[in-house]
Amino acid sequence: MTLDQLPLGQTARISRLNGSSSVRRRLMEMGLTPAATVQAVRRAPMGDPLDVKVRGYHLSLRKEEAASVEVESAGSGNV
Amino acid sequence: MAAETHVEQATAKSELVVALAGNPNVGKTTLFNAITGLKQKVANYPGVTVEKKMGRAELKGPGGERVFCQIVDLPGTYSLASRSPDEHVARQVVLGQMAGTPRPDVIIVVCDASNIERNLFLVTQVLELGRPTVVALSMVDIARENGRVVDAAKLSAQLGVPVIEVQAHRKLGIDELKSAVALAAGKHSKPLELPLPELMETHVHRLAAILREQRLAPDDQADFDAHLMLSMGDDDDAPDARRNQPKIRAALTEASAALDAADIDPIAAEIEAHYSYIGGVVSAVVSQDAQDATGLKTTRTDRLDRILTHKFWGMLIFVGVMATVFVTIFWLADPIMKAINDTGGLFDHLQNWVSATFGEGPLVSLINEGIIAGVGNVVVFLPQIAMLFLFLAVLEDSGYMSRAAFLMDRLMSKVGLHGKSFIPLLSGYACAVPAIMGTRVIENRRDRLATILILPLMSCSARLPIYSLIIASFFGPRNASAGEQFRAALHKGGILLIMYLLGTFSAFGMAWLFKRTLLKGPPPTFILEMPPYRMPQAKTIAATVWQRCWAFLKRAGTLIFAFSVMMWAGTHYPQPAHYSQDFDGKLGVLQTERVGLEKISAESMKDHDKWTAQDSLKAEAAVKRLPQLRGEIDDLQNAKQSEILEHSAAGRVGHFITPVFAPLGFDWKLSIGVTGAFFAREVVVSTMGIIYSVGQADEGSTALQTAMRNNYSPLIGITLLMFVVYCMQCLSTLAIARRETGTWKWPAFMFVYMTAMAWLAAFLVFYIGTLLGLGT
């Protein structure tokens, strides 16, 4: 599963990142590293972008970028 | 011996250089203001459009001596990896490689305690450089509110550098921070070394050796550079030019093949090394309360966001906020603008005073019509610009700007723009100048350029008087009944709305086009922190607004001042040798009469007791005659002005370029009006007033409306509207675009494409209109 498919409110563990090196680098710098937990919080009113919680703060990213983050579901709950 | 060299260095340099680094939204600007006490200077770094903020501070040295220091406020960045221009600048300054900025003796890194993991990423990057470093721990109170206590002493022990708690808006910890900086200067700290996969280490060392050998990096920095080179791709916005050096290229290719074979992703390895180190630090220094440990704590920001980014309520509030901002700007700025520049306003009084004191003459004309009017044209927009800056600063500082980008991103992405482009574009309806300066929030260079290029297409407030004049002239009711007036008002409003929509849709169309051609690049990314909501700090906001306004006055003001004087000369000289009538003689007679009558009317105000019946009659006649006489003088002066204008350089240029505007149906008079407006579009109305000799004209002047209606067909009116919608007629905008893009290339392009668009649109309207027989 990728981060854009993670149901809202659910928490998952990041397994790997794909995509171009600059996007991958930025996502990881912002804390979306493998093994980090991430929660899908909400979608913007028009469906895109997403708001996720990672390392205790909120990060907004487009579905396109979220699709390059592979996650393994770890159940519901906050991060 | 070591102490001696240290002293020598200090005296040679005479003052410390301190760099202030940190993530965006961590209170860095507030801290900078608290340290420097607003003794600041803002400039641009050479070659890039990144703002360079510098300030001064006085520290107490370890022995109690005074130490002066220069503080460089770096752009807020999440990383030193040199991916965006901001990061590139931050890195160059920290490493002492930025031209014009000395290598910092101490680096202060601001670390937000309420978001400590991600903030420590930048801290660890700085620590890898091995420069004297002090960590300023901010937002400790908010972290505590969220149930997290960060132990500064333990953090200091973990990181091996001083960690000082600061609450800049309460001035807490500032003195301690200053002492720590003075103490850290000159001390050497060991670079932080994070464990990487062995294979990666091998290649980093190999690469660093080549960098040293080829003198592509200073000795003490080669390892750091090698790390970055290995963990960054070629697809960055500003790729490292050294990658193309043959030996480096070979080493990189070999390294990536070897790492691939071992299934090691250098980017992930590098960043994971940081975060796993950070994980260890955090668990040693942060104590969380029970609620937070189970992860159930909902912060104030979480609760606010449930409403402010809600599908329905969030959008509604957003529209409400934007509407409030605009109504307030127009409502508050309008009276101030009138008080500055209208008849009876500040500059009018100044001009009257100059005339009254020095009489009439070329010098007074230069002062009044060149200098004062020119400065007035700049200053008149300042209230509006300042207010827009104020709102932008409040939106940014409170954290709402990110939410606006979040809400609007989907819409903007349809034309290839970024959610952050929305608010600058909206600001363009008021004035393109602050809007263009507001595009600094857009990280990506191409997105930012595209936004700047299309911004002047948004119909700004300076276009409104021209729209009003034209619409009132050609589509206004004349002696109509109330019902007809209402219908006419709808009709007029409809035309006005169409003008605004035309500008807006064309702007989006051009954005789409530019992003596909000129500014083509990899699809833009939208990776945006949604910072916690915070109460904006009045001092920080005031400083920002002041710096922005000052930048506008400095950049646009000087240029416009020069052009005002040139325009004045161009519209007044050369003067005709002969006029169609003896203006000066006639004016002289009328002026003498006026002076006499004014004296009588002034005397009639006092000495009533000694009056004869004859005196009363004379006074009455004088009071009656005076307004009429003043009107005659105005008319005569305008007629003279009109002849001067036609004979002047500008008039000749107008005549000369009439063929250019002929396909649009413009005569020489309109050509002059339109040409004059290239300097500032709001002068078109007053120029037309001079040409038609209708006195001090504004858009409400019925005389000017009648003159327009009698001379041109409604089709010309619409053609003129089309021209004004698209044309780049604002020097301030061009000057600010030059400042913000760092080159004249983009403002020149902006000018050419918009003017061409204006001509083409006007031509099409006129041509098709004529074909349809609407020309008469």
Side-chain angles (χ1 to χ4, degrees):
Chain A
M1 184 166 54
T2 52
L3 183 54
D4 59 316
Q5 298 160 342
L6 186 67
L8 295 186
Q10 285 209 4
T11 301
R13 193 174 160 279
I14 297 172
S15 49
R16 74 178 261 137
L17 287 99
N18 306 309
S20 74
S21 67
S22 65
V23 171
R24 218 162 59 210
R25 175 159 195 114
R26 171 46 43 116
L27 288 172
M28 284 196 270
E29 281 173 346
M30 297 303 277
L32 292 170
T33 54
T37 38
V38 58
Q39 184 191 26
V41 179
R42 63 172 63 84
R43 284 171 204 284
M46 285 175 263
D48 199 17
L50 308 173
D51 172 2
V52 303
K53 205 169 186 184
V54 62
R55 296 184 191 273
Y57 82 100
H58 287 267
L59 183 71
S60 163
L61 68 170
R62 285 188 188 154
K63 272 197 243 168
E64 209 181 320
E65 281 110 35
S68 59
V69 181
E70 283 179 29
V71 295
E72 294 157 357
S73 192
S76 62
N78 282 34
V79 180
Chain B
M1 187 66 204
E4 265 175 44
T5 31
H6 175 65
V7 171
E8 260 174 37
Q9 272 176 350
T11 42
K13 238 178 173 178
S14 82
E15 62 176 15
L16 284 179
V17 178
V18 177
L20 184 62
N23 285 186
N25 316 307
V26 295
K28 192 161 73 70
T29 309
T30 313
L31 181 62
F32 180 61
N33 291 343
I35 298 175
T36 61
L38 299 179
K39 274 172 265 163
Q40 304 176 2
K41 225 173 73 186
V42 184
N44 263 20
Y45 286 102
V48 283
T49 56
V50 178
E51 207 163 68
K52 179 181 186 180
K53 270 166 99 185
M54 280 172 315
R56 289 188 177 283
E58 198 187 310
L59 314 178
K60 273 219 171 58
E65 75 278 12
R66 290 158 76 186
V67 181
F68 291 97
C69 79
Q70 191 189 75
I71 316 242
V72 186
D73 186 22
L74 297 177
T77 60
Y78 296 108
S79 161
L80 286 183
S82 179
R83 185 181 148 274
S84 72
D86 278 2
E87 286 170 9
H88 188 71
V89 163
R91 185 171 111 97
Q92 296 287 93
V93 172
V94 162
L95 294 175
Q97 293 179 329
M98 176 58 76
T101 311
R103 174 159 154 155
D105 301 290
V106 182
I107 303 163
I108 303 174
V109 199
V110 188
C111 177
D112 178 349
S114 70
N115 186 356
I116 192 160
E117 281 178 68
R118 202 208 57 220
N119 271 259
L120 280 175
F121 184 76
L122 181 71
V123 175
T124 51
Q125 277 190 325
V126 171
L127 293 178
E128 279 180 316
L129 296 169
R131 304 284 305 152
T133 304
V134 176
V135 172
L137 193 65
S138 70
M139 311 283 172
V140 181
D141 43 345
I142 294 176
R144 200 166 294 134
E145 236 174 75
N146 295 346
R148 296 181 134 205
V149 179
V150 180
D151 188 324
K154 279 189 194 161
L155 185 59
S156 173
Q158 286 279 329
L159 300 176
V161 293
V163 175
I164 313 291
E165 258 189 55
V166 291
Q167 290 187 40
H169 55 288
R170 296 197 187 108
K171 295 255 190 289
L172 292 176
I174 304 300
D175 288 338
E176 291 85 340
L177 182 67
K178 284 181 174 177
S179 312
V181 168
L183 208 62
K187 280 193 185 157
H188 281 278
S189 57
K190 218 172 128 273
L192 174 69
E193 278 177 34
L194 297 173
L196 286 173
E198 205 172 315
L199 186 63
M200 215 172 139
E201 293 279 15
T202 317
H203 284 283
V204 166
H205 289 315
R206 222 176 271 173
L207 205 55
I210 300 174
L211 283 171
R212 281 195 194 97
E213 173 200 304
Q214 302 280 318
R215 301 197 178 282
L216 289 168
D219 278 359
D220 55 351
Q221 202 194 306
D223 281 318
F224 184 83
D225 282 10
H227 272 120
L228 275 181
M229 275 186 154
L230 207 58
S231 63
M232 284 215 294
D234 277 325
D235 55 353
D236 285 292
D237 234 17
D240 191 339
R242 293 175 295 188
R243 299 179 81 91
N244 295 326
Q245 209 269 349
K247 270 197 162 170
I248 300 278
R249 176 122 310 264
L252 280 172
T253 318
E254 192 193 326
S256 71
L259 290 169
D260 250 7
D263 201 21
I264 295 173
D265 175 2
I267 300 176
E270 166 89 31
I271 298 174
E272 274 183 276
H274 282 86
Y275 272 111
S276 69
Y277 171 76
I278 290 167
V281 172
V282 167
S283 61
V285 305
V286 178
S287 47
Q288 307 189 330
D289 67 13
Q291 235 188 338
D292 192 54
T294 55
L296 289 173
K297 188 106 181 172
T298 311
T299 61
R300 196 180 41 166
T301 294
D302 287 336
R303 281 193 296 273
L304 274 170
D305 261 340
R306 268 180 216 156
I307 305 163
L308 292 177
T309 58
H310 187 267
K311 264 191 178 68
F312 177 74
W313 298 114
M315 288 307 255
L316 197 72
I317 291 169
F318 178 69
V319 171
V321 168
M322 293 300 118
T324 313
V325 165
F326 271 82
V327 171
T328 318
I329 285 175
F330 286 118
W331 177 63
L332 282 178
D334 213 43
I336 306 176
M337 288 167 82
K338 285 217 166 83
I340 292 175
N341 227 19
D342 268 17
T343 316
L346 182 67
F347 282 84
D348 195 39
H349 278 299
L350 198 59
Q351 287 171 333
N352 288 341
W353 179 80
V354 171
S355 302
T357 316
F358 303 105
E360 300 289 335
L363 188 64
V364 169
S365 168
L366 167 65
I367 293 172
N368 271 347
E369 283 147 63
I371 297 171
I372 298 181
V375 172
N377 277 336
V378 179
V379 174
V380 71
F381 286 104
L382 199 59
Q384 206 184 45
I385 287 174
M387 262 180 252
L388 211 51
F389 281 146
L390 176 74
F391 280 115
L392 290 175
V394 170
L395 290 179
E396 179 77 37
D397 222 39
S398 63
Y400 191 69
M401 193 70 109
S402 303
R403 273 68 185 188
F406 178 70
L407 293 174
M408 286 296 127
D409 182 64
R410 181 89 191 96
L411 203 65
M412 303 307 288
S413 69
K414 292 205 164 130
V415 291
L417 288 179
H418 192 280
K420 279 191 173 177
S421 304
F422 185 83
I423 286 190
L425 282 175
L426 198 66
S427 312
Y429 284 123
C431 180
V433 168
I436 287 178
M437 287 165 94
T439 59
R440 289 199 169 174
V441 295
I442 306 165
E443 264 175 62
N444 182 284
R445 192 186 66 91
R446 280 182 299 265
D447 286 357
R448 181 158 177 245
L449 258 179
T451 312
I452 291 176
L453 285 178
I454 61 163
L455 244 166
L457 287 172
M458 312 300 278
S459 279
C460 68
S461 63
R463 283 180 176 100
L464 197 57
I466 315 174
Y467 292 162
S468 305
L469 169 72
I470 300 171
I471 293 173
S473 298
F474 298 105
F475 310 102
R478 276 150 275 177
N479 310 319
S481 70
E484 275 170 27
Q485 276 193 0
F486 179 69
R487 230 174 303 138
L490 278 184
H491 186 179
K492 287 201 284 189
I495 297 176
L496 195 62
L497 185 66
I498 291 172
M499 293 305 126
Y500 275 90
L501 290 179
L502 259 180
T504 310
F505 279 107
S506 307
F508 284 114
M510 290 316 281
W512 183 86
L513 188 70
F514 289 150
K515 289 289 294 193
R516 254 153 205 80
T517 51
L518 212 54
L519 301 169
K520 205 171 164 169
T525 52
F526 182 89
I527 301 169
L528 182 68
E529 182 192 359
M530 310 266 272
Y533 290 107
R534 243 164 241 155
M535 194 46 101
Q537 299 293 316
K539 253 197 193 155
T540 311
I541 295 212
T544 311
V545 172
W546 164 248
Q547 280 160 0
R548 292 272 152 101
C549 286
W550 183 237
F552 162 71
L553 281 179
K554 228 167 51 183
R555 178 54 90 167
T558 43
L559 192 71
I560 287 175
F561 178 78
F563 269 87
S564 300
V565 175
M566 275 164 61
M567 271 301 280
W568 170 83
T571 50
H572 286 75
Y573 292 93
Q575 298 209 335
H578 305 286
Y579 293 95
S580 64
Q581 45 179 316
D582 180 16
F583 285 117
D584 290 341
K586 283 185 186 167
L587 275 170
V589 173
L590 291 178
Q591 294 285 18
T592 320
E593 193 189 346
R594 197 198 61 176
V595 171
L597 289 180
E598 273 172 355
K599 212 170 146 194
I600 294 173
S601 111
E603 272 168 13
S604 71
M605 301 292 168
K606 46 190 179 180
D607 294 341
H608 277 280
D609 331 339
K610 293 177 213 160
W611 270 21
T612 61
Q614 208 188 353
D615 283 338
S616 313
L617 274 179
K618 247 168 90 182
E620 217 170 280
V623 171
K624 237 187 201 164
R625 166 90 176 119
L626 259 177
Q628 194 194 348
L629 187 63
R630 288 195 183 119
E632 277 172 36
I633 293 174
D634 275 354
D635 285 349
L636 214 54
Q637 276 173 338
N638 279 316
K640 186 185 171 192
Q641 277 300 317
S642 169
E643 279 185 30
I644 292 177
L645 181 62
E646 194 181 346
H647 194 268
S648 69
R652 289 171 201 207
V653 170
H655 273 293
F656 181 71
I657 60 165
T658 305
V660 175
F661 290 108
L664 315 182
F666 294 177
D667 61 3
W668 72 267
K669 291 178 175 180
L670 278 181
S671 301
I672 294 182
V674 167
T675 313
F678 274 104
F679 149 72
R681 51 173 68 91
E682 61 274 15
V683 304
V684 77
V685 175
S686 57
T687 313
M688 293 314 285
I690 293 174
I691 296 174
Y692 281 108
S693 310
V694 289
Q696 283 277 335
D698 57 35
E699 66 276 16
S701 157
T702 7
L704 182 55
Q705 290 176 13
T706 313
M708 296 283 289
R709 188 154 54 223
N710 292 341
N711 282 282
Y712 306 109
S713 68
L715 179 60
I716 298 279
I718 295 193
T719 309
L720 199 53
L721 278 177
M722 293 302 290
F723 195 80
V724 175
V725 167
Y726 290 121
C727 201
M728 177 63 249
Q729 294 177 310
C730 179
L731 264 185
S732 305
T733 303
L734 291 173
I736 288 300
R738 155 74 181 81
R739 180 180 187 267
E740 295 298 306
T741 59
T743 134
W744 277 111
K745 188 176 91 183
W746 292 112
F749 173 73
M750 188 192 252
F751 178 81
V752 170
Y753 101 80
M754 284 182 64
T755 308
M757 229 170 124
W759 192 92
L760 219 64
F763 173 72
L764 281 177
V765 165
F766 184 69
Y767 187 71
I768 294 170
T770 313
L771 281 186
L772 296 174
L774 300 173
T776 46

